[in-house]
Amino acid sequence: MRNKKNNKVLLEMKDIKIEGFADEKWHKIIKGISLTLSRGQVMGLIGESGAGKSTLGLAAMGFTRPGCKFTGGKVVFDGKNLTDMPENQRREYWGTRITYIAQSAAAAFNPAHQLIHQVIESTVRSKQKNKRDAQNDAVSLFESLQLPNSSEIGNRFPHQVSGGQLQRVMTAMAMSPRPDLIVFDEPTTALDVTTQVEVLAAMREVVKTFNTAAIYITHDLSVVAQMADTIKVLRFGEEIEEAETRKMLKSPKQEYTKTLWSVRSIQKPEIKSKNIILEMSGIDAFYGNFHVLKNVNIKLSYGRTLAIVGESGSGKSTMARVITGLLAPRNGSVKFKDKVLPAKLKNRTKDQLQKIQMIYQMADVAMNPKQTVFDIIGRPASFFTGITGKKLENRVIELLNQIDLDESFIDRYPSELSGGQKQRVCIARALAAKPEVIICDEVTSALDQIVQEGILKLLLRLQNDLNLSYIFITHDIATVKAISDEVVVMNEGEVVEQGLKSKIFSPPHPDYTKLLLSSVPEMDPDWLTNLLKKRA
Amino acid sequence: MHPVFLTILKRLGLGVLTLLVVSMVIFSAVEMLPGDFTEAVLGQRATVETVAAFRKELGLDQPAILRYLDWLGSVCTGDLGTSFSGRDASGIDRSRPVTELIAPRLTNTLFLATFTAIIAVPLSLILGLLTALYRNTIFDRSTNITTLTAISFPEFFVAYTLILFLASLFQIFPSLSNVDENTLFFERVYMTALPAITLTLVTVAHMLRMTRAAIINLLASSYIEMATLKGTTKLNIILRHALPNAWAPIATVVAFNLAYMVVGVVVVEVVFVYPGIGQLMVDAVTSRDIPVVQGCALIFACTYIFLNLTADIIGIVTNPRLLHPR
């Protein structure tokens, strides 16, 4: 088993302190964390964004990103103090004895070189193997990572390989010099759930085979539960607690850890409804010659939430673009309250535009950074409802209160808001038009779990108060379970199934829904093992 | 056929089209020049009859569109027409074909441009890479300040300063570059050293800073961090991981400066009395020698289009997404 006791200490980080330079001053990022890792041990680092997970993971290599520096503590790797030595000596450990796996494989591979040359680069440079042997070894690593065409895939360029495959090639790259330690930095966060399962299984297998120690960084507890022997919880650059995986899952000690555990707790009961407010029928949409939506029919009921769930490229966001008129479909129509909406945005009346509003995934880029909250919310309010002056100001304050922000926010710029507050302002902007339908496109995907929960609760309350209908686009099954009444499952531009939440989440399932649902990681540390057994 | 060939063919086609449009612009611009060659030449004797007769002889009585098509037709066969100068009302025709006038001048200009490019391009690429590698060090700052100072002075000032120091105070190079067809190669190199250095000084800053910026821009990429964490040395990161992705912007700025070395050097030619094509064109404009003006303008346009096309093609073939499609 992986957790065999091999007590020889490989890595010891003592009271690490790191500061980063931003806004003209130094900020503490890591405030004194210690970490001990034995050979062959896998430790999970978990926490929300800003907890310092990645910084700590990189610090294990004696590396800090540009603009950051060690201000205290030391990193001892295999008896050598990495923080003391000059960079050219430290570099001899990098890529050979300690390797790194980044979050986005697509960005971490150099677009100009074939994969194989990048995979064996440090192995050949450090003269562990000659070029031929290293290439042969890489091919056998590709094979054990279950990459298709293992003998040929190395000759491709990064853009010619899918995201899940690239992530496995990167694992092979990290494994090629047979390191003692691998730092995994959110390696599956950018992947779809069905792909994530394969990548997790492959990574776990190689780490086990070569008895490599690893630091596994993620914000997803159910993922780290599959990978790690021990879990360390971080928050604001400090350690909250550390324990063996099963112990941590069963009985977390600290209050903060418990909140991480209990986030997926919203369970809105579904409500059946017959009155249809919005309907898409027979929609075929294209990007150039690419058929994105294939004969899509969906219905949204008054005052209800329709969740559209699917993986990247399934056509979810394109549906939002068709409904709002940003993309005219080739066939089919969109009906709002039994009246057909013009296909193109410019042919729609102001009234039609007002009734359907949108909220986006990236609140950051969905707001003009040079406008204050008042301008951002006030503009649609005066454009659609014609109010000005004092009335407008009162309306903006009313909207701010609806999203649980007080009126002191009115003069702030987007850069002065937190991620959750930004998304709240975007919600208020949508509400300002007094819409009846709001399309939420992955509105919680970029947010931390606890912030997500707040946004979802807010959306549910607003739905109750204002009788709104939501189309909720997401790839996250937990979110779907939390807030939807009805669900549409999309795959490759087609509707796989649709119906009430209870129907979609209970068997029998069509094949794709089954695959999708079974791929969502669970808190159980044996989940992956059992799933792989079942699928085999 | 490889799709990149198709893209390149399309670019070539666009280049030819651009050239055609440019030829129209040149022709109509020259057409709009104030003044008239015949009146200028005939001077006092410009009666209505003599002017009309002279215009007829030169073909200037034809409608503009016919003259354009006529000109375009002969340009396509490599004939740029006959210079107006060398003729006068006396009827003695000492005029020469435009190609014969341009050819030796163009050779001189291309020689100087090539000479300059051989110094300036490698120099600015190497300095660009080094300043990116050692950015924000004293080396980086002093290189930047020096090249920026050089580019900030007018060309004639740089040229005269060089003459003062390298030709007058220390007599290393000649101050005049009046070569002719009998000048031997090494003699030629020696004589054109000062204009070449002048042009180098005024072009290096642009290419250097663009190279530096293109490389530094890439150094923030994820794959550069990955290369660092793979233990790659700084020099190898720049050469193996950053440079291959930076060719497109570098090629563009190099092409721009090469074009400048061919078409923008008239001031340098004047200062060093170098018989290049720039001076020829200026003289032709002064004497309203329309065929020569048109010929020179066309050659300048060709140079620009050819160099930019080359930069475009370099951008395409160094982009793995285009070179190796899915």
Side-chain angles (χ1 to χ4, degrees), chain B residues 285-298:
Chain B
V285 171
T286 323
S287 63
R288 295 183 181 72
D289 191 346
I290 293 167
V292 177
V293 176
Q294 285 173 341
C296 292
L298 202 62

PDB file of all heavy atoms in Angstrom, chain B residues 285-298:
ATOM      1  N   VAL B 285      12.449  64.433 -58.931  1.00  0.00           N
ATOM      2  CA  VAL B 285      11.270  65.203 -58.543  1.00  0.00           C
ATOM      3  C   VAL B 285      11.501  66.675 -58.853  1.00  0.00           C
ATOM      4  O   VAL B 285      10.632  67.361 -59.383  1.00  0.00           O
ATOM      5  CB  VAL B 285      10.948  65.006 -57.040  1.00  0.00           C
ATOM      6  CG1 VAL B 285       9.870  65.982 -56.595  1.00  0.00           C
ATOM      7  CG2 VAL B 285      10.502  63.583 -56.778  1.00  0.00           C
ATOM      8  N   THR B 286      12.711  67.166 -58.533  1.00  0.00           N
ATOM      9  CA  THR B 286      13.015  68.571 -58.784  1.00  0.00           C
ATOM     10  C   THR B 286      12.865  68.922 -60.261  1.00  0.00           C
ATOM     11  O   THR B 286      12.300  69.942 -60.614  1.00  0.00           O
ATOM     12  CB  THR B 286      14.465  68.873 -58.360  1.00  0.00           C
ATOM     13  OG1 THR B 286      14.748  68.128 -57.193  1.00  0.00           O
ATOM     14  CG2 THR B 286      14.653  70.345 -58.098  1.00  0.00           C
ATOM     15  N   SER B 287      13.342  68.033 -61.136  1.00  0.00           N
ATOM     16  CA  SER B 287      13.278  68.352 -62.569  1.00  0.00           C
ATOM     17  C   SER B 287      11.997  67.825 -63.220  1.00  0.00           C
ATOM     18  O   SER B 287      11.881  67.838 -64.427  1.00  0.00           O
ATOM     19  CB  SER B 287      14.504  67.771 -63.275  1.00  0.00           C
ATOM     20  OG  SER B 287      14.486  66.369 -63.158  1.00  0.00           O
ATOM     21  N   ARG B 288      11.083  67.332 -62.392  1.00  0.00           N
ATOM     22  CA  ARG B 288       9.804  66.796 -62.884  1.00  0.00           C
ATOM     23  C   ARG B 288       9.998  65.721 -63.946  1.00  0.00           C
ATOM     24  O   ARG B 288       9.285  65.660 -64.937  1.00  0.00           O
ATOM     25  CB  ARG B 288       8.928  67.920 -63.416  1.00  0.00           C
ATOM     26  CG  ARG B 288       8.542  68.866 -62.315  1.00  0.00           C
ATOM     27  CD  ARG B 288       7.634  69.948 -62.745  1.00  0.00           C
ATOM     28  NE  ARG B 288       7.355  70.806 -61.604  1.00  0.00           N
ATOM     29  CZ  ARG B 288       8.241  71.642 -61.067  1.00  0.00           C
ATOM     30  NH1 ARG B 288       9.450  71.744 -61.573  1.00  0.00           N
ATOM     31  NH2 ARG B 288       7.909  72.380 -60.045  1.00  0.00           N
ATOM     32  N   ASP B 289      10.998  64.861 -63.712  1.00  0.00           N
ATOM     33  CA  ASP B 289      11.263  63.768 -64.646  1.00  0.00           C
ATOM     34  C   ASP B 289      10.374  62.593 -64.247  1.00  0.00           C
ATOM     35  O   ASP B 289      10.778  61.675 -63.530  1.00  0.00           O
ATOM     36  CB  ASP B 289      12.751  63.397 -64.548  1.00  0.00           C
ATOM     37  CG  ASP B 289      13.156  62.470 -65.671  1.00  0.00           C
ATOM     38  OD1 ASP B 289      12.256  61.918 -66.335  1.00  0.00           O
ATOM     39  OD2 ASP B 289      14.367  62.298 -65.870  1.00  0.00           O
ATOM     40  N   ILE B 290       9.134  62.659 -64.724  1.00  0.00           N
ATOM     41  CA  ILE B 290       8.101  61.746 -64.239  1.00  0.00           C
ATOM     42  C   ILE B 290       8.463  60.256 -64.353  1.00  0.00           C
ATOM     43  O   ILE B 290       8.318  59.512 -63.380  1.00  0.00           O
ATOM     44  CB  ILE B 290       6.759  62.058 -64.938  1.00  0.00           C
ATOM     45  CG1 ILE B 290       6.302  63.446 -64.457  1.00  0.00           C
ATOM     46  CG2 ILE B 290       5.704  61.024 -64.604  1.00  0.00           C
ATOM     47  CD1 ILE B 290       5.186  64.004 -65.275  1.00  0.00           C
ATOM     48  N   PRO B 291       8.945  59.764 -65.471  1.00  0.00           N
ATOM     49  CA  PRO B 291       9.239  58.320 -65.555  1.00  0.00           C
ATOM     50  C   PRO B 291      10.231  57.859 -64.491  1.00  0.00           C
ATOM     51  O   PRO B 291      10.080  56.768 -63.933  1.00  0.00           O
ATOM     52  CB  PRO B 291       9.833  58.164 -66.952  1.00  0.00           C
ATOM     53  CG  PRO B 291       9.301  59.304 -67.724  1.00  0.00           C
ATOM     54  CD  PRO B 291       9.203  60.434 -66.753  1.00  0.00           C
ATOM     55  N   VAL B 292      11.235  58.687 -64.185  1.00  0.00           N
ATOM     56  CA  VAL B 292      12.216  58.286 -63.170  1.00  0.00           C
ATOM     57  C   VAL B 292      11.565  58.278 -61.787  1.00  0.00           C
ATOM     58  O   VAL B 292      11.768  57.342 -61.004  1.00  0.00           O
ATOM     59  CB  VAL B 292      13.430  59.234 -63.197  1.00  0.00           C
ATOM     60  CG1 VAL B 292      14.414  58.853 -62.097  1.00  0.00           C
ATOM     61  CG2 VAL B 292      14.107  59.173 -64.553  1.00  0.00           C
ATOM     62  N   VAL B 293      10.755  59.308 -61.494  1.00  0.00           N
ATOM     63  CA  VAL B 293      10.069  59.347 -60.205  1.00  0.00           C
ATOM     64  C   VAL B 293       9.221  58.102 -60.037  1.00  0.00           C
ATOM     65  O   VAL B 293       9.261  57.418 -59.000  1.00  0.00           O
ATOM     66  CB  VAL B 293       9.189  60.612 -60.094  1.00  0.00           C
ATOM     67  CG1 VAL B 293       8.399  60.591 -58.797  1.00  0.00           C
ATOM     68  CG2 VAL B 293      10.051  61.855 -60.169  1.00  0.00           C
ATOM     69  N   GLN B 294       8.463  57.793 -61.059  1.00  0.00           N
ATOM     70  CA  GLN B 294       7.590  56.617 -60.980  1.00  0.00           C
ATOM     71  C   GLN B 294       8.397  55.338 -60.789  1.00  0.00           C
ATOM     72  O   GLN B 294       8.055  54.477 -59.981  1.00  0.00           O
ATOM     73  CB  GLN B 294       6.748  56.511 -62.254  1.00  0.00           C
ATOM     74  CG  GLN B 294       5.629  57.531 -62.292  1.00  0.00           C
ATOM     75  CD  GLN B 294       4.908  57.544 -63.631  1.00  0.00           C
ATOM     76  OE1 GLN B 294       5.443  57.066 -64.636  1.00  0.00           O
ATOM     77  NE2 GLN B 294       3.722  58.088 -63.637  1.00  0.00           N
ATOM     78  N   GLY B 295       9.483  55.236 -61.541  1.00  0.00           N
ATOM     79  CA  GLY B 295      10.322  54.042 -61.438  1.00  0.00           C
ATOM     80  C   GLY B 295      10.868  53.872 -60.028  1.00  0.00           C
ATOM     81  O   GLY B 295      10.788  52.788 -59.441  1.00  0.00           O
ATOM     82  N   CYS B 296      11.412  54.964 -59.462  1.00  0.00           N
ATOM     83  CA  CYS B 296      11.966  54.886 -58.107  1.00  0.00           C
ATOM     84  C   CYS B 296      10.889  54.526 -57.104  1.00  0.00           C
ATOM     85  O   CYS B 296      11.072  53.641 -56.250  1.00  0.00           O
ATOM     86  CB  CYS B 296      12.585  56.223 -57.714  1.00  0.00           C
ATOM     87  SG  CYS B 296      14.058  56.614 -58.651  1.00  0.00           S
ATOM     88  N   ALA B 297       9.732  55.201 -57.210  1.00  0.00           N
ATOM     89  CA  ALA B 297       8.650  54.947 -56.259  1.00  0.00           C
ATOM     90  C   ALA B 297       8.225  53.488 -56.310  1.00  0.00           C
ATOM     91  O   ALA B 297       7.965  52.850 -55.283  1.00  0.00           O
ATOM     92  CB  ALA B 297       7.469  55.856 -56.559  1.00  0.00           C
ATOM     93  N   LEU B 298       8.180  52.954 -57.529  1.00  0.00           N
ATOM     94  CA  LEU B 298       7.768  51.565 -57.683  1.00  0.00           C
ATOM     95  C   LEU B 298       8.769  50.627 -57.022  1.00  0.00           C
ATOM     96  O   LEU B 298       8.403  49.645 -56.359  1.00  0.00           O
ATOM     97  CB  LEU B 298       7.632  51.242 -59.170  1.00  0.00           C
ATOM     98  CG  LEU B 298       6.742  50.059 -59.503  1.00  0.00           C
ATOM     99  CD1 LEU B 298       5.319  50.322 -59.047  1.00  0.00           C
ATOM    100  CD2 LEU B 298       6.773  49.774 -60.993  1.00  0.00           C
TER     101      LEU B 298
END
